[in-house]
Structures are given as C-alpha cells and as structure tokens.
Amino acid sequence: MKVQISNGMFFALIINMIYAKAIGVTQGSMAREIGGDIWISTLIATVQGTVIMSLVIFVIRRMPEGDLIDQSERLFGKWFGKFVALITFIFFLAAFGPIMSTFIFHLKDYFLPEAPILLFICAAFLIGTYAIFFGLEVIARMALIGVFSIIALNILLMLGTLPEFDIRELRPTFQMGFIKTVWASRHHNADWAMATIMAGIILPMVGDKKSWGKMGFAGIAYGMVFVIMWPILEAGVLSPETAAQYIVSCMQMARSAQIGYFVHRYEMIMVAFFALSMLTQIMMSLLCASVAMQKILGLKDYRKVIIPTALILSTFGYWINFNKNRAVDFLEGWWVYISVGVAVVLPMMILVLGFFFKKKLKKKIVAEEAK
Amino acid sequence: MTSVEEKNTFFRDLQDNEELMTEILGGSVDLVKRRITFHEHKNVQALCYYTDGLADVTHIEQFISDLLYKGNLLLQHATLPTDNPLTLLKEHMLSSASFQVIKEVGQAVDGILSGVAVLILDGSNDVFLIQTKGWEKRGVDEPQTEQVVRGPRDGFTESIRTNTALVRRRIRDPKLRIEQMTVGKRSKTDVNIAYIGDIVKEGLVEEVKKRINDINIDAILESGYIEELIEDAPRSPFTTVQSTERPDKVASSLLEGRVAIFVDNTPFVLVVPSFFWQFLQASDDYYSRWMTGSFFRAIRYLAFVLSLTLTSIYVMLVSFHQEMIPTQLILTIASGREVVPFPVLLEALLMETAFELMREAGLRMPKPVGQAVSIVGSLVIGQAAVQAGIVSPFMVIIVALTGIASFAIPNYAASFSIRLIRFPLLIAAGMLGLLGFSAMFALLAIHALTLRSFGESYLAPATPFQPKDQKDSIIRFPWWKMQARPMGVTGDEKRVGDNQFPEPPNTDPYSDEAGNRDEDNQKGRDQSKRKKSRHIIKLKGDDEE
C-alpha cells in the first residue's frame, strides 16, 4: 500500500523544514545586510514563499497521483522526467550543505568545539539513513512532535529574553531602504524553497487532497508565526549589530537568556527542543534526494539508493563545512541562487508546459487510470 | 492391529481398545485405568481412564457408582449386542452437561491428559468423556508485581478458568466473548481469547487468532512464549504486548476495545494492542480522585524521564559541558570527584552494573535473604565505594535516583525496557557528549516511532496525535469528562452518558426548578439550570443575612 500521511503531518513538515535554519543562521545573514529590519524581510519572504507554495500545490493538483518529477515525465517522456529528477537531486544536494552548516554551527561552536566535523556528519548520516529507511510517515510523525518542541522552545526563549527586550532597537524601519529589505528576503526565501520543493515531492502522499491548499497555507502561516518571534527578539534583545556579528545569532540569544536569578545557561534544553526541527531537515533532504535518485535510475524503491545518496550528500556536506568561510560563502551566495532559482523556475516551467500540453497530460492520466 | 498414528477412531472390541490405549499412554504411574463390569449377568465390560492429580477422584467415584447402579437397571432388559449399551446409557444418563460422547482417539487422549475421565464400553466404538477436571490450585491472591493502594486485591492465578471468571465477574455483558484455542504440539496449552463483541476494534480478533494459530512450537509454559511469538517488533527492546496480573486491568482494556489472551498455567494475561504510555498508567489512577490520579501519573512520567536520562545527562554534563552546571554545584561535584580515579562514564557504568546486580540478587534470593542482600549491598557498595574513592557521592545519588525512578514505573516489563535502553544512551553521552546523547536519543525515538502493536501506532495517542484520547494521557480527566472510548473502537463508542457532572439537588422549595425536579432528573442533569438555581439559593442566603 502506498504510504500516506495526514494533512496535519504535512503541516508539521512545512514548519519544521524552515524553522531550524530560519531562526538563526538566516537571521544572521539578513542582519548583516539590513540590520534591524530582519523581521520585515522575514515577513516579505513569507509572502513570496506563499506564492511559490501555491504554485507547487496548483501544479501537483493537476495530477495528484504524481510528484513534480512524475508530472514532467508524463509531459515529455522518460528523459525529461530524469532531467527534472536530476535538478531535484542537485537542489537537495545543495540544500544539505546549509542544513549541515546549521547542525554543525549549533553543536560544534556552542557545545563541542573540539569535536571533529566528521563526527557531526556521521551522526547526521546515521540518524538520517535510519529514519528514511522507515519512510515518510515516521519522519512526519517526528515532525509533529517537533511542532510541540518548537512551541516549547519559543516559550522558553520568550521567558528568558522578554525582560531585556527594547523596541527602540527595531526603529527606524526600512533604515536600509525598501529595495534592500526586499532583496535581503532572498535568504529566507531559500528556506521556503526547501519547503516548497519538498512539498512538490511529498504532496501525492498527503491524504486529503481537498485540503492541500488549506494545510499548505496553514503550515506557512504557523511557520511564519513561530519564526517571526526570533528576528524581533534578536533585534530587540541582542541589537541588530550584535545579531549581525554571529553566524548563529539565535544561539547567542539563547545563551544570554535567563529566567529570574536561578535559571540561566539553559541553552542545552533549548537545543534539545530545536533538535527535532534540525533532524527533520536532515531526514527530509535525504529522503527527497533519495526519491530523486531513485527516479533518475528508474528504480521501484528508493531504499536501494539510500546509502549511496546519503554518502554523496554527506561528502558534499563535509566538504562545504570543512572550511567555515566556504560554508558561509555558500550559505549566503550560491545556495540562495540555486534554491530560489529551482524553487521558482521548476514549478513555473512545469506549470507553463502543462498549460500548453494540457490535452496530452489529460490523455495520459486517463490512459493510466484505465490501466 | 493398526498403528496408533493410523488409528483415529476406537474399536468395538474392548480388548483392542485397551491395547490401543496402552500403546498410546504407556505405563505412566499417574495414568489410572479402572475396569468396571456392568450387570454381571450380561457381563458388559468397561474401562475408565483418568490422570491422577488432574481429575477429581470424588467426582469419578460418584460417576462410576451412578453408572453401575443405573447401568445395571438399564441393561437388565436390553438385548445385547443389538442394543448398543452406550446408546442406552447416553439416552438415560446424559442429564448432565459434563458428559460428552466422542469417537476420536486423539480427543480422548487429550482429554485424559487434561483431567477428563474417559469411559470405554465393550461393544461400542463411541466413548464417554466425563468432565472431572479438578486439581490443586493456588487461591486468588494479591498480584505480586502490580500492587495498588486503592483498588481490588484479587489477582490472576495459574488456572485459566479462574482467570476468565475473574474478568467475567467484572463484565456481565453477554457480548463478552471468550474463545478457546490450543497451542503447543506436546503441551496442548489452553489459550483463551477474550473481547467484547460490539466494541472490539475491527479485524483485531481475526488478527490475534491468526497469529496464535500460526504458532508452531512444542510447548507453551507461560504467556511469555505467546508474547514473543506474536509481537510486532521482536527485535525491539520495547515491549509491544502488555502483560498483567490484574483482572481489573484486563476488564478495562476489554472495555477499550482491546483483546485479552489468557494462557493456562500462568497468572500473566496478555493484552493487545498495547501502547507505550499505558505502561506508565496504574490502576489506582482510575480509582483515586482524578486530581490525585493525575498527580501520581505525572510523577510516573517524571520517573520515566529520570530513569531514562538522568545518569546520561549527568555523565554528559560532567564530562563535556561543565559550563552548563551552576558554579556552586560544579564545585561540589568536583570536590567529590577529586579522589575518583575513573572517568565519569566508567564510574557510572560501574555503579549501574552494581545496582543491577543488587536488584537481580535481591529478586532471586529467598525473601529474607533478598532483603538483606539489597540492604547490605546498597550500604556496602554505596558507602564503602565512596570511602574507598572508587565512586563519587554524587554518582551514588544519581544512580540511586535513577533506580528508584525505574521502580516507579508500574509495569515490570516496561521498566526493564527503559533500563535496557538507558545503557546505549549512557555510553553515547559519555563518549560524544551532547552529540552522542542527542543522536542516540533520536535513534531511539525514531525506532519507537516505527513500532506498531497489532496495527496500532505504539506511541499513540501522542503520535499520531489524537486530541480526543488526550483525556487519558498525562492528565487523567474526571470520569464525567471522559465520555468516549479510545479512537478506533467500533460500535458503542460512548462510555459515559451526558450530564454526569455531579451536583447536589436543588433544595429551594420556592424555586421554579424545584417543581420540575423530577422531570429534570428524568431528562438528565441540566448544568446550566442548576447554576441558575444555585444562584437563587445564594441570593436567598444573602437576603437572610
């Protein structure tokens, strides 16, 4: 039987897929460009993310039984399908770099400075491959718990930082100008790109097709609610200048959080809550890359390619993160262009082609249903 | 003569049947053979077989004396061999339900070996099966592993019929079905499956039966055999089949649409499907007031977290992340560890192993000795080890706390599972710090998420999240709030009626409500009306003041 996940799980996956990187690493990158307007940029990126997500949902709805790759295959045949699968694979390969950067920067820089990078790569490899072997449902269920841990993390952080919050740090708005603020939103768009391409792969496995749109928007809206607190607090508590000086600005804020006189230095508890979102990103990128690899090779089950795919992704993750400068350059440069490019062009291309070859697509769907 | 394997039915001749039975049963001393002659004039011979110790001899004596008396009367006017003596006896003596006429040799042999007496008459290839089961058994006693402060004190015994009766006493519903099965090629152990017909989850009974039918084993000596042969995750440290000694627990499970598996010769009854969180729930939770029940349940959840993670977190913090510990506390820990020559991980492993040794020794030894071992062990190992500088006092406290927390988990099997998974977590945390701890924890969480128990997710209702079932998870909601049965129950889904919130009756004679009280009682308690009447009483009280 085909694996099915509930719409609630899909919603949880969207939130987890953006959260881990968006709250700290992305905010640091944006703060370096636009200072205190990071929260406005985050909001703008969410609007753009909503548009792209709607596009993906619209495209998949035309042929709900297949993902973006299947639809491409039905439009222009096997080789075009393989080409789109290759693009998807490259997307998740590139995504694995920043995902591993987020994982490594959080744990190595703040907890285990002497541990070799390979150790983190191995841990991610082990957990990721083990989880995706059991399929999407297990990851989705973990993501559901992840939503609760995100809520717990946000509450803990608010309790520890709100007394230090100074709204004056957020003023004036648009201090770097409107265009620059919109342009800085590309960093967060890269996070949304991961969620949208993931949706393009897993949507056919989401149970209730009628409420795809509703749940997609709910996921984006809640994701925005959970994320937006961070740039506001980072700017209002740390100050934009301080936030800009750290690659992982959220960790710096978590470290300085304090509840009353007695509860301080509880960042480890916060990292424990954060871990589920982080792991969901690792697992989902491995899963989607494996599915893409499976379709490139024309296999029936993605499980056969889990290990080789994970090895390729891990090697890339190691290479990127072995040099911290390279990791940050990739994170703020290449990755942004690859992710936004693929997330916009791929669904748009399938949408337009599908529009022109509507009859062909319909014929194929009818023929397959008749079979 | 035909061989035993080939012979399925009895001969007409008693001599042949005797030889057949001797060949099958051999010469075991506990297998009794009695020769009886009816009506000496017509010389009708019969043989009675039974197992000494399994059959009730008084019952057999009574039966034989009845048979001799009535048999003589019946056979006086019979024309032999035209009249089958067994048919005559069957027609005139089968007034009791405990008599059965059978044809198959195998059935007769199984009967003898399970305490039934078999009567073989000359000239008939049908035989009598007389229900004479009766052996020494332990009385109903308090369960040893699941004790409660408030609640019934009766526990299951080794007799399957006593056990089913204990449940039947609690659910006098004709829909409570108990089905018979036999497992074990040599042991032929009785296995009963119990469920409530109109609320059991769809397809569950068939699945349970299928799995039990698929068992191919020589003997079932305890329900643990069945558990291991039917569970969904045989390679997992988690137990996915619940075992209990408490009839009330089984009854409540049946009322939640689950299936109970009774196995003869053991007081442990299996319940499927089972969910992880159930292992943290005790019967008391439901018998105490809901706030008390919820509080103790919350304590047990805390015990679970402590039991699983406390030692690992301590080792992780002291070995790798000292900056996370408040300064005063880390100084105290450091002063205690000053003389300890081992790394924290080794220290923890030593103490945990010593604790497990003491626990196991205390459990296996005779009770008085066991107590002495645990007291002496804890004193010697704890105090002396600290004084000798082998372990730090803080580690003793941590391990003791972890141990106590593991004992707070009501189900022994679940408690053991948690103790088992504590070790990989401890080693990972001790070797790789936060990374090791979180990686191992994630692996364990993923593993737990993949588990299923008879098609149901093992971690339900937490994941997949079922909002309705949260009323009986961390907090035990009051009975008047827990109206529905758990998700998945088919048919009679409602458990508690509407408006069950208890309130004293309206005592105001002038209130409009008082006149309608009877009607209200019939319709059910309308809370909003009561609130209004309470308000009236309050106003009246104010006037009097």
Side-chain angles (χ1 to χ4, degrees):
Chain A
M1 206 182 82
K2 202 177 172 184
V3 178
Q4 289 260 305
I5 59 166
S6 70
N7 290 41
M9 289 174 178
F10 175 56
F11 158 86
L13 280 171
I14 293 176
I15 295 171
N16 281 274
M17 200 62 186
I18 58 138
Y19 186 82
K21 186 175 159 283
I23 61 167
V25 177
T26 302
Q27 301 305 331
S29 303
M30 292 202 294
R32 283 189 278 282
E33 286 185 26
I34 50 165
D37 289 332
I38 47 177
W39 65 278
I40 303 174
S41 202
T42 304
L43 281 179
I44 294 169
T46 307
V47 175
Q48 293 162 356
T50 312
V51 174
I52 303 295
M53 182 66 87
S54 320
L55 190 72
V56 169
I57 293 172
F58 182 77
V59 170
I60 300 287
R61 263 204 181 135
R62 274 195 320 215
M63 202 191 89
E65 297 76 31
D67 54 28
L68 287 177
I69 304 167
D70 296 331
Q71 204 169 125
S72 322
E73 193 183 321
R74 280 184 186 88
L75 275 171
F76 286 110
K78 203 169 78 176
W79 288 103
F80 186 67
K82 282 186 194 295
F83 171 71
V84 172
L86 183 68
I87 300 281
T88 313
F89 179 78
I90 291 168
F91 175 87
F92 284 105
L93 175 71
F96 205 69
I99 287 171
M100 284 316 295
S101 301
T102 314
F103 185 55
I104 293 166
F105 293 165
H106 275 82
L107 292 181
K108 186 175 160 62
D109 293 4
Y110 289 84
F111 295 101
L112 296 160
E114 285 166 24
I117 288 170
L118 194 62
L119 212 58
F120 298 93
I121 299 285
C122 288
F125 176 88
L126 200 69
I127 299 167
T129 49
Y130 182 63
I132 66 170
F133 181 79
F134 294 106
L136 178 64
E137 198 195 342
V138 168
I139 307 170
R141 282 210 254 147
M142 200 153 176
L144 214 55
I145 307 170
V147 172
F148 291 102
S149 65
I150 284 172
I151 295 169
L153 168 57
N154 281 9
I155 291 170
L156 273 180
L157 191 93
M158 267 201 278
L159 289 174
T161 54
L162 271 182
E164 304 293 323
F165 182 72
D166 185 357
I167 199 158
R168 283 173 297 183
E169 296 286 357
L170 303 181
R171 291 163 58 195
T173 50
F174 294 112
Q175 53 186 310
M176 300 286 173
F178 179 73
I179 303 291
K180 246 192 159 180
T181 309
V182 174
W183 177 238
S185 68
R186 71 188 186 284
H187 294 291
H188 192 36
N189 277 339
D191 303 334
W192 283 114
M194 278 198 288
T196 45
I197 297 296
M198 174 201 76
I201 300 291
I202 66 164
L203 258 179
M205 290 177 240
V206 180
D208 183 13
K209 290 173 179 61
K210 282 178 191 164
S211 55
W212 279 359
K214 209 169 108 187
M215 290 317 281
F217 292 129
I220 292 171
Y222 277 91
M224 189 265 286
V225 169
F226 294 140
V227 170
I228 199 71
M229 183 198 94
W230 290 82
I232 294 174
L233 287 178
E234 277 161 25
V237 176
L238 285 182
S239 85
E241 294 75 25
T242 316
Q245 281 174 23
Y246 292 96
I247 297 172
V248 192
S249 52
C250 64
M251 240 2 248
Q252 197 53 39
M253 191 165 65
R255 183 169 269 190
S256 54
Q258 181 172 339
I259 304 173
Y261 285 111
F262 303 105
V263 187
H264 54 96
R265 294 305 303 269
Y266 58 98
E267 69 256 34
M268 194 179 265
I269 300 170
M270 290 197 267
V271 160
F273 287 127
F274 165 85
L276 285 179
S277 173
M278 188 68 254
L279 291 174
T280 307
Q281 283 194 347
I282 293 172
M283 293 171 203
M284 280 313 297
S285 52
L286 278 177
L287 178 76
C288 293
S290 300
V291 170
M293 178 68 104
Q294 171 216 339
K295 289 184 177 173
I296 293 170
L297 299 175
L299 300 171
K300 280 190 175 170
D301 191 359
Y302 74 87
R303 283 179 181 81
K304 286 176 187 165
V305 290
I306 288 177
I307 301 287
T309 307
L311 278 174
I312 296 170
L313 264 67
S314 300
T315 310
F316 179 74
Y318 180 70
W319 176 73
I320 283 285
N321 288 289
F322 187 69
N323 183 330
K324 205 164 188 174
N325 287 333
R326 182 163 53 212
V328 177
D329 286 346
F330 184 76
L331 186 78
E332 295 182 352
W334 279 100
W335 162 239
V336 175
Y337 304 117
I338 293 171
S339 62
V340 178
V342 173
V344 174
V345 174
L346 191 65
M348 192 72 91
M349 180 178 75
I350 298 169
L351 175 81
V352 173
L353 290 174
F355 181 73
F356 286 117
F357 297 92
K358 213 176 191 174
K359 279 184 184 169
K360 189 182 172 187
L361 188 66
K362 240 182 188 174
K363 247 185 199 174
K364 284 215 168 174
I365 294 169
V366 171
E368 270 169 29
E369 274 174 4
K371 266 185 191 176
Chain B
M1 209 181 89
T2 9
S3 72
V4 180
E5 284 77 22
E6 286 170 13
K7 188 67 190 161
N8 287 328
T9 51
F10 284 97
F11 299 100
R12 281 188 81 85
D13 183 48
L14 189 66
Q15 184 68 31
D16 288 344
N17 283 333
E18 188 178 2
E19 281 174 19
L20 178 71
M21 292 303 274
T22 311
E23 198 180 340
I24 296 170
L25 297 172
S28 297
V29 285
D30 60 335
L31 295 172
V32 181
K33 178 175 76 178
R34 279 185 65 174
R35 195 174 292 275
I36 308 159
T37 309
F38 295 106
H39 197 271
E40 283 169 16
H41 176 64
K42 287 176 182 171
N43 196 25
V44 177
Q45 297 286 318
L47 279 171
C48 179
Y49 286 94
Y50 63 90
T51 309
D52 194 18
L54 290 183
D56 182 359
V57 181
T58 327
H59 195 152
I60 294 172
E61 293 293 343
Q62 182 64 43
F63 170 76
I64 290 173
S65 70
D66 282 1
L67 196 68
L68 284 172
Y69 174 69
K70 283 192 181 173
N72 281 338
L73 286 177
L74 280 169
L75 297 174
Q76 213 161 18
H77 307 290
T79 321
L80 295 176
T82 324
D83 289 336
N84 185 339
L86 192 116
T87 317
L88 286 170
L89 289 169
K90 193 167 68 177
E91 282 168 3
H92 293 87
M93 284 193 68
L94 280 182
S95 52
S96 167
S98 61
F99 296 92
Q100 199 187 340
V101 178
I102 56 155
K103 281 181 188 296
E104 285 173 23
V105 179
Q107 209 177 342
V109 172
D110 288 348
I112 295 166
L113 297 174
S114 58
V116 172
V118 167
L119 188 83
I120 308 170
L121 273 123
D122 195 13
S124 169
N125 50 6
D126 290 346
V127 299
F128 264 145
L129 215 65
I130 311 133
Q131 289 298 337
T132 52
K133 282 182 185 175
W135 51 81
E136 292 301 318
K137 54 188 174 193
R138 185 169 66 93
V140 175
D141 205 356
E142 196 168 353
Q144 294 296 307
T145 55
E146 294 165 278
Q147 297 197 339
V148 291
V149 177
R150 181 173 177 172
R153 301 273 187 251
D154 55 346
F156 288 127
T157 69
E158 284 73 16
S159 160
I160 193 167
R161 206 42 66 224
T162 310
N163 295 349
T164 52
L166 285 170
V167 175
R168 180 72 79 175
R169 267 184 63 197
R170 285 169 169 82
I171 308 171
R172 293 173 189 173
D173 183 350
K175 292 275 168 61
L176 171 61
R177 307 266 189 261
I178 299 174
E179 292 185 22
Q180 168 74 30
M181 295 179 92
T182 308
V183 189
K185 277 182 286 186
R186 288 184 186 277
S187 68
K188 296 192 174 65
T189 310
D190 287 333
V191 174
N192 285 184
I193 294 168
Y195 57 92
I196 300 178
D198 57 342
I199 49 178
V200 70
K201 288 171 187 177
E202 214 180 313
L204 180 60
V205 179
E206 290 71 31
E207 180 61 26
V208 172
K209 279 192 208 165
K210 188 189 162 291
R211 291 194 194 187
I212 293 177
N213 274 327
D214 286 347
I215 294 176
N216 184 3
I217 191 169
D218 62 341
I220 297 288
L221 302 182
E222 213 275 339
S223 53
Y225 285 47
I226 301 254
E227 181 183 337
E228 229 172 281
L229 290 164
I230 63 167
E231 66 185 337
D232 287 67
R235 290 193 184 92
S236 171
F238 294 99
T239 165
T240 52
V241 175
Q242 187 180 5
S243 60
T244 179
E245 279 189 274
R246 298 193 63 86
D248 54 335
K249 237 179 192 178
V250 170
S252 77
S253 302
L254 296 177
L255 290 165
E256 287 176 355
R258 295 194 274 153
V259 170
I261 303 164
F262 294 82
V263 180
D264 202 12
N265 302 318
T266 175
F268 287 92
V269 172
L270 308 177
V271 178
V272 290
S274 68
F275 307 99
F276 178 75
W277 313 110
Q278 274 166 355
F279 296 116
L280 301 176
Q281 298 171 357
S283 304
D284 301 47
D285 298 353
Y286 301 94
Y287 308 143
S288 314
R289 296 186 69 244
W290 68 275
M291 280 192 217
T292 320
S294 300
F295 175 73
F296 287 120
R297 191 176 280 187
I299 292 286
R300 261 176 261 124
Y301 274 87
L302 179 70
F304 157 64
V305 175
L306 288 180
S307 167
L308 184 64
T309 61
L310 188 65
T311 322
S312 315
I313 290 175
Y314 173 76
V315 169
M316 175 180 76
L317 290 177
V318 174
S319 308
F320 292 92
H321 312 291
Q322 299 88 352
E323 74 279 5
M324 298 291 141
I325 307 172
T327 316
Q328 278 303 110
L329 187 61
I330 191 72
L331 288 175
T332 316
I333 295 170
S335 66
R337 278 197 47 75
E338 210 173 15
V339 289
V340 181
F342 307 118
V344 197
L345 173 63
L346 192 62
E347 195 189 344
L349 283 173
L350 273 174
M351 279 308 289
E352 287 283 1
T353 314
F355 182 85
E356 291 300 327
L357 267 174
M358 279 188 281
R359 189 194 55 75
E360 189 61 20
L363 200 73
R364 304 286 159 218
M365 288 194 172
K367 247 183 188 173
V369 187
Q371 277 172 359
V373 163
S374 51
I375 294 164
V376 172
S378 50
L379 281 175
V380 170
I381 304 287
Q383 189 64 30
V386 170
Q387 279 179 351
I390 297 169
V391 289
S392 65
F394 226 85
M395 182 58 83
V396 176
I397 297 169
I398 295 287
V399 172
L401 256 176
T402 316
I404 290 167
S406 76
F407 290 131
I409 293 159
N411 187 290
Y412 180 75
S415 162
F416 192 76
S417 297
I418 294 163
R419 281 213 296 272
L420 213 61
I421 56 177
R422 200 164 65 195
F423 284 96
L425 204 59
L426 175 63
I427 294 166
M431 292 178 85
L432 299 171
L434 179 65
L435 179 69
F437 180 80
S438 49
M440 188 53 75
F441 198 88
L443 288 174
L444 287 170
I446 293 165
H447 172 68
L449 281 168
T450 61
L451 295 181
R452 285 185 176 274
S453 175
F454 282 78
E456 301 285 330
S457 174
Y458 187 54
L459 294 184
T463 168
F465 189 71
Q466 286 151 1
K468 277 186 182 172
D469 288 354
Q470 300 306 318
K471 288 183 179 176
D472 190 18
S473 57
I474 297 176
I475 293 173
R476 200 278 281 174
F477 273 56
W479 278 111
W480 37 268
K481 273 278 178 192
M482 280 200 284
Q483 289 185 308
R485 288 184 210 280
M487 296 279 278
V489 167
T490 49
D492 181 21
E493 284 164 26
K494 209 162 183 185
R495 199 169 179 183
V496 180
D498 291 329
N499 306 317
Q500 291 299 302
F501 181 75
E503 273 192 309
N506 183 9
T507 50
D508 179 12
Y510 303 107
S511 162
D512 290 346
E513 307 304 317
N516 298 328
R517 198 185 305 147
D518 291 343
E519 200 181 326
D520 276 0
N521 283 344
Q522 278 178 355
K523 283 181 183 170
R525 297 165 181 172
D526 189 324
Q527 290 181 28
S528 59
K529 281 182 181 177
R530 289 257 190 64
K531 277 176 191 159
K532 195 177 156 193
S533 68
R534 206 192 274 166
H535 182 63
I536 294 165
I537 295 170
K538 201 182 165 194
L539 286 176
K540 202 179 163 225
D542 291 344
D543 291 346
E544 281 168 5
E545 276 171 24

